[in-house]
Amino acid sequence: DIDHLNLRVQKELVEWLNWLKADIGFDGWRFDFAKGYSADVAKIYIDRSEPSFAVAEIWTSLAYGGDGKPNLNQDQHRQELVNWVDKVGGKGPATTFDFTTKGILNVAVEGELWRLRGTDGKAPGMIGWWPAKAVTFVNNHDTGSTQHMWPFPSDRVMQGYAYILTHPGTPYIFYDHFFDWGLKEEIDRLVSVRTRHGIHSESKLQIIEADADLYLAEIDGKIIVKLGPRYDVGNLIPAGFKVAAHGNDYAVW
């Protein structure tokens, strides 16, 4: 174990981070198991190494009901993510992985897309509260891949990417999905739509519909995304929008 409260440890880790920046060329940090030490310690490392980007892994359990599924209200879960960024410094480069969105998406794509509209009408994950500081993802090396600890439904992975690559937040693409699963072209197409229309971490999200079999949302008034098997949604799509990307149970106009 590393004693992060030891001043010598802090000094040597800061020197190492600055060496990684100056000599190797890294410009951002990922804080693994960030709940294993205080946000005050993470703030020391960030403030003294000045990365352009930093993201923390704060993986805690969602609140579950008696049916074994996540409760609709996950405010306590996302509040923990927000609190970490607040303590480290909201005006700096610190962000956190949006585990709240990940957990809700896992279940929502299995025929419960109503979960993607929170009780306040906004996105139910951290992106509904502080999207500029939320790093969204479908799977990572812990949840998917060989460890398979909290995997996204494998046959619905592209619905997950259609969501995070069109929505606010900073989306993260999993290496396995891009290079090993044969999804490169589909993911590339969604990235192109995001880039072409200037969708960014603080883009404005308007949820049009959120039912069991349909989630429909407009982002920045520029693109519309649909998740779910419901096919006939033409009456909900404003004139002038044309399909830019589509796949199994998702489409983007």
Side-chain angles (χ1 to χ4, degrees):
D1 290 348
I2 296 176
D3 180 7
H4 287 281
L5 297 179
N6 184 298
L7 294 180
R8 180 182 173 187
V9 168
Q10 291 178 7
K11 178 177 178 291
E12 292 186 356
L13 277 174
V14 167
E15 288 175 354
W16 177 65
L17 290 172
N18 281 314
W19 172 78
L20 286 172
K21 258 183 75 179
D23 288 23
I24 308 301
F26 285 99
D27 61 357
W29 316 132
R30 176 189 185 276
F31 288 91
D32 192 58
F33 192 64
K35 64 179 183 176
Y37 45 92
S38 73
D40 294 328
V41 169
K43 178 176 171 59
I44 289 170
Y45 298 143
I46 290 173
D47 287 352
R48 295 181 187 175
S49 64
E50 298 183 341
S52 61
F53 181 76
V55 59
E57 179 201 44
I58 304 164
W59 186 359
T60 56
S61 178
L62 271 64
Y64 288 90
D67 59 358
K69 293 183 178 180
N71 295 335
L72 182 60
N73 186 323
Q74 296 293 337
D75 287 357
Q76 186 176 345
H77 192 269
R78 55 181 172 172
Q79 187 65 55
E80 190 171 354
L81 303 179
V82 165
N83 288 348
W84 188 90
V85 175
D86 257 336
K87 288 179 181 176
V88 172
K91 293 182 179 179
T95 66
T96 64
F97 285 113
D98 190 348
F99 276 93
T100 319
T101 289
K102 152 73 172 167
I104 293 169
L105 258 181
N106 268 23
V107 181
V109 297
E110 299 274 31
E112 299 182 7
L113 291 166
W114 49 267
R115 292 178 176 274
L116 296 180
R117 176 158 52 195
T119 52
D120 57 2
K122 299 179 181 180
M126 187 182 176
I127 59 170
W129 279 2
W130 203 355
K133 296 295 182 178
V135 175
T136 51
F137 67 104
V138 175
N139 266 345
N140 62 26
H141 63 283
D142 289 320
T143 69
S145 196
T146 52
Q147 299 202 58
H148 228 62
M149 291 170 69
W150 200 28
F152 201 86
S154 59
D155 58 338
R156 300 171 195 265
V157 160
M158 282 309 305
Q159 284 189 59
Y161 280 111
Y163 184 87
I164 69 170
L165 289 172
T166 57
H167 277 53
T170 301
Y172 150 101
I173 297 168
F174 186 36
Y175 182 100
D176 292 23
H177 293 157
F178 197 73
F179 292 105
D180 300 337
W181 284 41
L183 300 176
K184 182 179 185 298
E185 282 188 23
E186 272 192 271
I187 292 173
D188 266 342
R189 204 171 298 124
L190 290 168
V191 171
S192 294
V193 172
R194 184 181 185 87
T195 304
R196 189 162 63 246
H197 293 283
I199 307 303
H200 54 88
S201 63
E202 296 183 86
S203 284
K204 184 183 178 185
L205 171 68
Q206 180 193 353
I207 299 171
I208 301 169
E209 199 73 66
D211 293 331
D213 64 342
L214 173 67
Y215 172 79
L216 197 69
E218 187 173 304
I219 300 88
D220 280 348
K222 296 176 180 177
I223 65 173
I224 295 175
V225 60
K226 182 205 83 142
L227 304 183
R230 192 186 302 180
Y231 183 76
D232 186 15
V233 295
N235 61 314
L236 297 173
I237 308 299
F241 280 84
K242 296 179 180 179
V243 175
H246 64 89
N248 187 27
D249 287 346
Y250 78 88
V252 180
W253 287 264

